[in-house]
């Protein structure tokens, strides 16, 4: 089983950007956490990050036929990108949306999520632990038990 974990703009700045919202862990810490969790689950994982919308579309398309599920935090593109939603709908892979911060308690412009329309589940406000949680959900789903 192979999962793809995609992070969007500014998530490479974790540990530096707005620690009150995103904590002190760096992007490298996040990748180490995801890779360690993949080992525990016995799955392969590909971690990708870009600040560019089209790259995120390309990453999602590249998962088609190569990966079994996607964890994605599209960053600010969550709230604007129909192209990323369309890519997710195109590949039709099980997908979990993750946000490190509690987006529902933040600005009005963060209350819209396009990617949510293609997500089997959304995890918000669990910090970087949301990523291993999303991986657990995908693996459970792919193995046949579908947690809601
Ligand atoms: C975020 C929330 C978004 O609103 C923001 O633009 C981000 C990060 C999160 O992980 O909480 O870049 O997706």
């Amino acid at each position: 089983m192979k999962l793809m974990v995609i992070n969007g703009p500014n998530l490479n700045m974790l540990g530096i950007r707005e620690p009150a919202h995103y904590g002190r862990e760096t992007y490298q810490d996040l990748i180490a956490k995801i890779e360690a969790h993949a080992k525990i689950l016995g799955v392969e994982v590909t971690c990708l990050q870009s600040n560019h919308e089209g790259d995120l579309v390309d990453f999602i398309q590249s998962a088609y036929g190569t990966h079994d599920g996607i964890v994605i935090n599209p960053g600010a593109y969550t709230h604007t990108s129909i192209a990323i939603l369309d890519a997710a709908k195109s590949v039709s892979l099980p997908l979990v949306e993750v946000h490190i911060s509690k987006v529902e308690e933040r600005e009005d412009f963060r209350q819209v999520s396009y990617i949510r329309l293609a997500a089997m589940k959304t995890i918000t406000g669990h910090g970087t632990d949301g990523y291993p949680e999303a991986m657990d959900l995908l693996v459970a789903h792919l193995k046949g038990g579908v947690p809601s």
Side-chain angles (χ1 to χ4, degrees), residues 9 11 17 22 73 75-76 78-79 98-101 103 106 110:
L11 289 157
R17 71 180 293 209
Y22 304 114
N73 181 348
T78 304
H79 318 301
V98 172
H99 299 287
I100 295 168
S101 67
V103 276
R106 299 182 64 192
R110 293 185 207 277

Side-chain angles (χ1 to χ4, degrees), residues 72-94:
I72 187 165
N73 181 348
Y77 289 133
T78 304
H79 318 301
T80 60
S81 181
I82 298 167
I84 292 171
L85 168 64
D86 283 350
K89 284 188 165 177
S90 299
V91 299
S92 195
L93 287 165

Side-chain angles (χ1 to χ4, degrees), residues 9-135:
N10 301 307
L11 289 157
N12 56 318
M13 296 295 281
L14 283 179
I16 299 165
R17 71 180 293 209
E18 303 180 85
H21 284 303
Y22 304 114
R24 294 270 176 206
E25 283 171 272
T26 66
Y27 180 71
Q28 285 318 315
D29 294 335
L30 170 62
I31 298 309
K33 182 180 279 193
I34 291 167
E35 287 177 348
H37 199 66
K39 270 198 186 126
I40 291 167
L41 290 173
V43 302
E44 288 180 66
V45 68
T46 307
C47 296
L48 300 166
Q49 188 275 331
S50 176
N51 295 323
H52 306 279
E53 184 176 13
D55 285 348
L56 301 180
V57 170
D58 289 342
F59 294 160
I60 292 167
Q61 289 185 6
S62 77
Y64 183 73
T66 64
H67 290 72
D68 302 297
I70 297 174
V71 175
I72 187 165
N73 181 348
Y77 289 133
T78 304
H79 318 301
T80 60
S81 181
I82 298 167
I84 292 171
L85 168 64
D86 283 350
K89 284 188 165 177
S90 299
V91 299
S92 195
L93 287 165
L95 180 147
V96 178
E97 172 191 12
V98 172
H99 299 287
I100 295 168
S101 67
K102 255 194 180 150
V103 276
E104 61 274 21
E105 293 181 3
R106 299 182 64 192
E107 300 94 328
D108 285 351
F109 61 80
R110 293 185 207 277
Q111 303 314 314
V112 171
S113 168
Y114 286 95
I115 194 68
R116 198 155 306 173
L117 297 171
M120 51 176 259
K121 181 88 181 174
T122 297
I123 298 170
T124 69
H126 295 185
T128 59
D129 288 346
Y131 292 80
E133 286 172 30
M135 293 163 73

